[in-house]
Amino acid sequence: MAPVGYCTLEDVRRALREASLPGDLEQDTQIAVDAIAAETEPLERSLSQHFFEPTGIDEATAIDIPTAPKSRDDEHDVATNGAMVHGAAERDRHQYRKNSDALLESDPRSDRWRKDRYEPKREIRIATGEAEALEPPVDESRPAYTHIQLARDYVKSLSKLLVIGGDGSYTDWVADDGYTGGVGLEHRGEDYWVRINSGGVSDLYLNVHAMDDDIASLSNAVYVAFDHGHEGIPRAIRRAVALKAGAEFAEEATIQIPDNATVYNVETKAEQMRSKADDLLEEYQ
């Protein structure tokens, strides 16, 4: 199986030719292939994006061009309000002091609905809706969504969404017919939905009202599995990978050249190629 990459050997050859750099790709094909693969994976991680061409690229022979979305699964905490990290902090925040003005600072222990009870659900940070949406008495008709930024852009679909319950077990909101949601604005207002902005950044929104009132934990509370990827490899991405791979290939090829002046010239041009690649990638950062 050939290594996976975002450009072809022809792309690298063109990049070398434009930079007037030496290198025989026919003789040193494996070096070029390894260079392409070595530049592709780190790029995907740094950009948090996967690119694919459904029909491949005709001129790609020694490299496997991705032709489908990738799958990924991650665990996430549920975001909390900074001032309310745990139950003790919440109680301390409302401590009653003898010298305080009783009209301005009331003892929460006197409030019937508090009863000094730790309510982790009330610590959840609300991203969509009013911050007081979880304050008793709770009106579930008031929107209250928390959000999680997913680790990859251009999410296509969710295959699993495990949310912790009151007893510590997890319910798959995707598989359970009691929950509705999906990817795209058409699912806004449902139990869960994924918003994708113009740059591909994908945010998962969870309806806090759909969570158990006595949610067991806010740490590692959500496990999500999804498919992701941008259909089509942009020309700038192909060219950037080709430039970086070409620079690496040229430097590798000059190791056998004893002429120091030639080596210096190649290294200088290789750095220029990398700099040009970085410029192309700026809009994806």
Side-chain angles (χ1 to χ4, degrees):
M1 186 176 182
V4 175
Y6 286 154
C7 76
T8 68
L9 289 177
E10 281 302 314
D11 291 327
V12 176
R13 183 177 284 111
R14 284 189 286 269
L16 290 170
R17 188 183 306 123
E18 289 174 9
S20 300
L21 279 173
D24 186 350
L25 267 65
E26 297 300 330
Q27 180 178 342
D28 300 316
T29 298
Q30 193 57 50
I31 295 177
V33 167
D34 290 344
I36 293 172
E39 296 296 341
T40 296
E41 186 177 351
L43 180 64
E44 178 186 330
R45 289 200 303 269
S46 66
L47 299 181
S48 296
Q49 293 187 28
H50 164 68
F51 302 92
F52 67 97
E53 289 283 355
T55 59
I57 299 175
D58 291 339
E59 67 181 38
T61 53
I63 286 287
D64 273 350
I65 301 296
T67 58
K70 293 181 74 172
S71 297
R72 181 185 176 92
D73 60 89
D74 296 294
E75 63 181 14
H76 295 274
D77 298 338
V78 173
T80 61
N81 295 306
M84 293 162 45
V85 179
H86 50 71
E90 164 65 359
R91 290 192 292 274
D92 292 344
R93 202 165 65 96
H94 292 280
Q95 272 190 332
Y96 183 82
R97 295 182 294 274
K98 285 184 178 181
N99 296 328
S100 64
D101 188 335
L103 293 175
L104 298 177
E105 184 175 3
S106 62
D107 182 354
R109 290 170 293 182
S110 65
D111 296 337
R112 293 178 181 176
W113 53 268
R114 285 186 186 272
K115 296 181 181 179
D116 203 30
R117 181 187 177 193
Y118 173 49
E119 298 176 358
K121 191 172 180 179
R122 292 182 52 238
E123 297 181 5
I124 296 175
R125 183 185 303 163
I126 302 301
T128 301
E130 299 175 5
E132 300 78 17
L134 300 180
E135 294 291 335
V138 176
D139 180 0
E140 295 194 0
S141 66
R142 299 169 66 187
Y145 284 84
T146 189
H147 104 286
I148 295 169
Q149 183 173 327
L150 298 177
R152 287 294 182 270
D153 297 345
Y154 293 104
V155 168
K156 298 292 186 184
S157 62
L158 302 183
S159 56
K160 196 173 290 186
L161 177 58
L162 304 179
V163 180
I164 198 168
D167 61 357
S169 64
Y170 289 80
T171 299
D172 186 350
W173 287 18
V174 173
D176 194 319
D177 292 336
Y179 300 88
T180 61
V183 176
L185 288 173
E186 63 270 24
H187 295 285
R188 187 173 185 176
E190 299 182 31
D191 296 316
Y192 64 92
W193 68 288
V194 177
R195 175 184 179 271
I196 303 172
N197 72 13
S198 58
V201 176
S202 302
D203 291 312
L204 170 63
Y205 286 83
L206 301 173
N207 185 354
V208 180
H209 294 314
M211 298 178 178
D212 283 1
D213 288 337
D214 295 320
I215 186 169
S217 173
L218 299 179
S219 298
N220 299 330
V222 177
Y223 290 79
V224 57
F226 57 92
D227 292 339
H228 64 94
H230 179 281
E231 184 171 333
I233 302 176
R235 185 63 194 167
I237 296 296
R238 278 185 65 175
R239 184 159 168 71
V241 173
L243 284 165
K244 286 178 176 286
E248 183 178 335
F249 176 86
E251 289 175 335
E252 186 75 20
T254 59
I255 291 177
Q256 300 176 359
I257 302 176
D259 188 341
N260 290 334
T262 300
V263 173
Y264 175 78
N265 187 47
V266 168
E267 289 179 346
T268 301
K269 289 186 175 182
E271 285 307 310
Q272 292 172 348
M273 292 173 73
R274 291 191 178 97
S275 178
K276 190 170 186 178
D278 290 338
D279 290 341
L280 290 171
L281 294 173
E282 273 189 6
E283 66 175 291
Y284 298 94
Q285 300 292 340

